[in-house]
Amino acid sequence: MSKVVIAVEGLSKQYSLGAISHRTFQRDLQSWWARRRGKDDPNLPVDGGRRKKMEQFADENGIIHALKDVSFEVKQGEVLGIIGKNGAGKSTLLKILSRVTAPTSGCVKIKGRIGSLLEVGTGFHPELTGRENIYMNGAILGMKKKEIDRKLDEIIDFSGVERFMYTPVKRYSSGMFVRLAFAVAAHLDPEILVVDEVLTVGDAEFQRKCLGKMGDVSRKEGRTVLFVSHNMAAVKNICDRGLRVELGRIVQNDAVAAVVADYLSNAGSPNEEGLVSPGMMPRERGYEHIITDVWIENKEGLRTRTVLSGEPMKICCAFSSKKPISNCGVGFGVENLYGERIFSLNNYMVSGGDKKGSLSSGVAEFRINELLLLQNSYSLTVSIMENGTTTLDCLERVVRFDVLSADIYGTGILPFPEQGKVYVRASIEIR
Amino acid sequence: MSGVSGKGEGLSNDHWTTIITPTRDRRLVDIGELLAYRDLIALFVKRDFIAQYKQTILGPVWFLVQPLMTTIMFLVVFGKIAKIPTDGIPQPLFYMGGLIVWNYFSGILTQTSSVLTSNAHLFSKVYFPRLVVPIAQVVAGLGRFAIQFALFASLYIFYLSIGMKSSLDWTILLFPLTLLYVAVLGFAVGLIISAFTTRYRDLQVGLSFLVQLWMYGSPIVYPFSLVPEKWRTLYTLNPVVPAMESFKHIFFGAGLPPLSVFGTGIAITLLLLVAGLFFFNKVERTFIDTV
């Protein structure tokens, strides 16, 4: 049994919304005076939409719980992947772990030196040369000068920019900059390495190099790594265990394969569990609440989330708008869980639209005669358009549905999901 | 799970190296931690110094231009036009001496006061003791002071060669203490301001004004002897006064104000330092959330 190197106990972090000061004393006074007289605070953000969006996550006191009573442990040598949607609290967690900010309550106990890589190239100064910046950056990340001296050649080698070591980094291309920065970070020797999304930069070859390095760090050197990423393939590859964070809480703490699988199948939206009706779901800025419901019907006309390959299927979208929509259009797209669009349809394309008419509410039904998808999970994006150009409302990945394999060819041999994304009707003759 | 057991297996399970809690321990400064980061301090000093004059033709010579030009300006305005006496000290020496000490003080003060806001990008990404940055600035400021002091020293030697009476004696040993005092004072006031600028940017705007006022409230363009007797008690509450007076005593043999002035100055400075560290520690851990 290896020992615990990180113990997180009941960690919470709160941010207060709106109650923060306005940065200047005069404005604080102004707001205070306005509130006293019962008037509107003149310094509240005009951007009401965005505020509303944030308020959904805030409690009645305007406090946002970025993390809520989070507890977990990490053992030595473990590579822990932390996944979750944007705003789930992953970055806040890493910020607390790397001591950039302090928690509101709870505590973290750490054994060993922690090196955090929340961003590559932290502290790079454009006027200093590559070599000088290696020292600068290394020291900021917590390395001693002697350590850097010892590893200098290795770092330069790894970066692949040895020819430019005496050039100020402001003359570097962005690619060179990132290479050098990651090279320093990769040679940091902390017992615990915290990495956040650094792999989204650089070219494919360099990314492979980085991932390889991270794998080495844990497997060969027995170091602990905490890795936050949206790249599920990378998480699955290098992590042992996964931590799924949702709305500031840990919802799953399990073997990485299981966590990634569950994350992917839940990647849609709060609607997945049927908790929120599409009409109530938060919209991106600028969209109106027009779509009231979205559902799928099978060939019996029943609402479902599971359809068989090759079966007929109906996608329905109910909408209701305050003002009439001229030449109303309804479109949808089906994506697989990797976010790849498989196909899209809209009524302009299928039936030419209704150039003269206008509608304020209704139900759009798309009848698909034969669903040519292979077994997998898919999600549905629905949008309402006006005059074929303006998108009035759009709900991304609002409904998830599963397609199950069926005996499409009548031979008893089912196509595998691995064989592709779609199937085609065909007859084969061998002569 | 790849359970690789590493070195340090002998450590007991409750032996943690770091414990992160909502509140900080009560210590004002963690000297041990700062020492562990001494390499970083050294690098910051180097960076401050190099980055300032890279890609300039004159390079470090720029550090000389400012006191030289300001001295000339003071000579014309306060010396020739306003005819403010300098207690028999050659005017160029009087102005330049006061000026370089003031520069060291005000440089540290202004740099320290913006340390949290101007390094927010760095502090929001990685942890190291935040005090590392202002400490490095104090040291880098010393480098600049050394260059400016060399200018003062050459002027001083020139005046000695044309017959000025040397007043240098053992008191020159107190010179480093004077500098330390000035540095601590600037650092302390800077820390207080930096803690409040994370909330109120007003302070940053008002700062250059404050520094200017403070300069005229200190014996730099006029001698201490010119301050009316009845105002002296109030005047000596300015902790810069004892520093200026001891500098003038060391190099020009000027009379010293009563010792109590030094006592007050040191007491105020220490008080400001404690307050500065206290406020700085208070905001340091979470300022990233509000900045």
Side-chain angles (χ1 to χ4, degrees):
Chain A
M1 199 62 192
S2 17
K3 57 178 183 149
V4 174
V5 289
I6 301 177
V8 175
E9 293 160 15
L11 200 67
S12 297
K13 173 83 184 173
Q14 301 172 352
Y15 292 102
S16 49
L17 190 70
I20 327 169
S21 111
H22 297 295
R23 305 287 156 63
T24 72
F25 186 58
Q26 182 230 339
R27 289 226 191 133
D28 266 4
L29 271 181
Q30 205 180 20
S31 300
W32 171 79
W33 182 238
R35 278 199 302 269
R36 263 201 72 137
R37 291 176 304 161
K39 293 205 175 153
D40 278 348
D41 184 344
N43 295 311
L44 279 183
V46 187
D47 183 4
R50 196 168 199 93
R51 220 183 127 73
K52 279 259 155 52
K53 204 169 168 181
M54 291 306 287
E55 270 169 1
Q56 293 176 342
F57 300 109
D59 64 12
E60 64 277 10
N61 298 320
I63 289 174
I64 292 176
H65 298 268
L67 286 179
K68 244 183 205 170
D69 197 22
V70 165
S71 302
F72 63 94
E73 286 185 344
V74 189
K75 298 204 174 72
Q76 176 159 5
E78 217 174 5
V79 184
L80 183 71
I82 301 172
I83 56 182
K85 274 170 269 181
N86 287 330
K90 299 169 303 211
S91 300
T92 306
L93 181 60
L94 289 202
K95 275 189 173 172
I96 293 174
L97 285 177
S98 49
R99 293 210 275 165
V100 164
T101 186
T104 311
S105 63
C107 79
V108 183
K109 294 171 184 164
I110 297 165
K111 209 174 285 178
R113 187 166 75 160
I114 193 158
S116 72
L117 226 58
L118 300 194
E119 190 188 75
V120 287
T122 312
F124 265 40
H125 195 289
E127 295 288 351
L128 301 182
T129 67
R131 206 184 128 97
E132 284 165 337
N133 266 312
I134 291 180
Y135 278 95
M136 193 69 227
N137 190 221
I140 284 177
L141 294 173
M143 286 161 99
K144 294 258 182 323
K145 188 170 174 293
K146 272 192 208 137
E147 262 179 275
I148 308 172
D149 284 338
R150 209 172 56 231
K151 289 185 186 151
L152 189 64
D153 293 336
E154 222 180 303
I155 294 174
I156 295 175
D157 218 42
F158 187 88
S159 71
V161 291
E162 45 282 83
R163 282 170 52 216
F164 308 101
M165 273 302 123
Y166 294 94
T167 311
V169 295
K170 66 176 176 185
R171 310 227 183 286
Y172 279 31
S173 73
S174 55
M176 285 157 65
F177 188 91
V178 168
R179 274 156 190 272
L180 184 67
F182 190 82
V184 183
H187 289 81
L188 192 72
D189 262 343
E191 281 91 4
I192 301 158
L193 184 63
V194 175
V195 188
D196 186 9
E197 288 291 7
V198 282
L199 302 168
T200 50
V201 288
D203 51 42
E205 182 218 355
F206 187 69
Q207 284 191 20
R208 259 199 303 283
K209 209 166 161 183
C210 299
L211 280 172
K213 180 75 191 175
M214 280 181 52
D216 283 358
V217 162
S218 67
R219 282 187 194 116
K220 294 197 188 130
E221 299 163 32
R223 292 182 205 287
T224 314
V225 181
L226 300 190
F227 180 45
V228 165
S229 179
H230 288 287
N231 180 345
M232 289 304 135
V235 170
K236 218 168 152 177
N237 262 327
I238 57 175
C239 300
D240 310 311
R241 202 152 57 88
L243 213 58
R244 185 150 66 87
V245 188
E246 227 167 70
L247 295 173
R249 293 175 189 277
I250 292 179
V251 290
Q252 200 180 9
N253 180 354
D254 203 350
V256 74
V259 176
V260 168
D262 282 11
Y263 172 74
L264 286 178
S265 61
N266 272 311
S269 64
N271 193 40
E272 295 305 341
E273 281 82 37
L275 294 175
V276 186
S277 82
M280 301 295 287
M281 279 172 60
R283 303 300 209 268
E284 291 281 317
R285 275 177 70 194
Y287 290 150
E288 300 166 46
H289 287 246
I290 293 177
I291 299 170
T292 53
D293 201 2
V294 180
W295 70 96
I296 291 169
E297 286 179 14
N298 62 14
K299 65 176 175 185
E300 280 88 29
L302 299 170
R303 289 194 181 203
T304 182
R305 291 283 172 102
T306 326
V307 277
L308 284 178
S309 246
E311 296 264 284
M313 157 181 150
K314 223 191 278 177
I315 297 171
C316 305
C317 167
F319 59 94
S320 158
S321 163
K322 286 188 196 98
K323 37 183 201 281
I325 306 164
S326 66
N327 192 8
C328 171
V330 183
F332 73 88
V334 168
E335 284 164 18
N336 67 10
L337 293 181
Y338 300 100
E340 289 170 306
R341 184 59 69 92
I342 310 294
F343 64 91
S344 313
L345 281 175
N346 62 58
N347 59 320
Y348 302 125
M349 196 160 76
V350 178
S351 61
D354 179 7
K355 295 214 169 57
K356 291 187 202 90
S358 71
L359 270 175
S360 57
S361 66
V363 176
E365 284 188 2
F366 285 82
R367 281 181 284 271
I368 295 166
N369 303 327
E370 182 186 5
L371 188 64
L372 303 172
L373 295 176
L374 291 186
Q375 173 169 338
N376 219 324
S377 291
Y378 299 89
S379 61
L380 198 61
T381 295
V382 180
S383 59
I384 299 276
M385 291 156 290
E386 185 167 34
N387 293 324
T389 45
T390 327
T391 305
L392 299 176
D393 192 8
C394 175
L395 283 170
E396 287 192 11
R397 293 180 285 281
V398 62
V399 170
R400 185 173 67 84
F401 64 97
D402 293 308
V403 174
L404 299 179
S405 273
D407 186 7
I408 327 159
Y409 299 108
T411 56
I413 300 168
L414 306 180
F416 297 110
E418 292 77 25
Q419 284 174 326
K421 298 185 175 90
V422 296
Y423 74 88
V424 288
R425 278 277 167 221
S427 63
I428 296 181
E429 202 180 323
I430 300 170
R431 280 183 290 200
Chain B
M1 236 170 270
S2 67
V4 187
S5 58
K7 49 205 166 159
E9 193 74 356
L11 293 174
S12 84
N13 213 42
D14 336 282
H15 190 281
W16 304 99
T17 30
T18 317
I19 295 180
I20 303 169
T21 51
T23 45
R24 196 178 183 280
D25 60 28
R26 286 176 181 280
R27 263 178 309 173
L28 277 179
V29 223
D30 188 343
I31 304 271
E33 197 186 26
L34 283 176
L35 279 178
Y37 277 90
R38 58 184 183 278
D39 288 342
L40 184 59
I41 297 181
L43 280 163
F44 270 127
V45 171
K46 199 175 147 198
R47 184 189 81 170
D48 265 22
F49 216 64
I50 294 178
Q52 210 163 61
Y53 63 78
K54 268 216 174 167
Q55 236 188 42
T56 59
I57 299 169
L58 292 179
V61 176
W62 273 114
F63 297 138
L64 299 181
V65 175
Q66 189 269 345
L68 211 57
M69 298 311 274
T70 317
T71 303
I72 292 171
M73 202 180 75
F74 283 1
L75 271 175
V76 175
V77 178
F78 302 109
K80 294 284 171 283
I81 301 173
K83 294 202 168 60
I84 297 172
T86 55
D87 277 358
I89 302 162
Q91 280 181 345
L93 275 182
F94 180 87
Y95 293 136
M96 191 179 282
L99 203 61
I100 59 170
V101 176
W102 176 258
N103 276 351
Y104 183 47
F105 168 74
S106 66
I108 291 172
L109 170 57
T110 36
Q111 282 183 320
T112 308
S113 66
S114 66
V115 75
L116 290 178
T117 40
S118 60
N119 289 288
H121 64 283
L122 191 56
F123 291 164
S124 69
K125 297 298 175 197
V126 60
Y127 173 81
F128 52 84
R130 304 319 190 199
L131 279 177
V132 158
V133 182
I135 289 175
Q137 282 165 349
V138 169
V139 181
L142 199 59
R144 278 189 286 275
F145 175 82
I147 294 174
Q148 298 186 347
F149 183 76
L151 181 69
F152 170 80
S154 6
L155 197 66
Y156 192 81
I157 291 167
F158 167 77
Y159 271 100
L160 286 182
S161 72
I162 60 166
M164 186 182 73
K165 208 166 80 51
S166 165
S167 55
L168 292 177
D169 53 17
W170 66 271
T171 51
I172 190 130
L173 297 174
L174 294 177
F175 183 48
L177 281 181
T178 309
L179 281 184
L180 179 72
Y181 172 86
V182 164
V184 171
L185 182 61
F187 181 70
V189 179
L191 283 184
I192 296 176
I193 296 175
S194 79
F196 286 102
T197 41
T198 60
R199 268 276 156 108
Y200 300 117
R201 298 290 164 92
D202 308 49
L203 276 167
Q204 217 152 27
V205 184
L207 184 65
S208 61
F209 183 61
L210 174 91
V211 168
Q212 212 166 26
L213 270 186
W214 198 342
M215 190 185 95
Y216 289 113
S218 311
I220 291 160
V221 294
Y222 53 86
F224 180 66
S225 58
L226 219 64
V227 178
E229 203 68 58
K230 58 175 179 176
W231 291 110
R232 286 214 178 150
T233 326
L234 189 68
Y235 187 78
T236 49
L237 282 181
N238 173 2
V240 175
V241 173
M244 286 300 165
E245 287 316 292
S246 62
F247 181 83
K248 282 178 198 156
H249 175 76
I250 293 166
F251 289 96
F252 312 125
L256 280 177
L259 272 178
S260 67
V261 171
F262 291 89
T264 325
I266 291 171
I268 292 177
T269 302
L270 288 179
L271 207 69
L272 287 172
L273 181 66
V274 170
L277 289 169
F278 176 79
F279 288 125
F280 189 81
N281 287 341
K282 247 189 139 70
V283 297
E284 173 220 44
R285 300 191 75 221
T286 53
F287 85 98
I288 268 323
D289 304 336
T290 50
V291 83

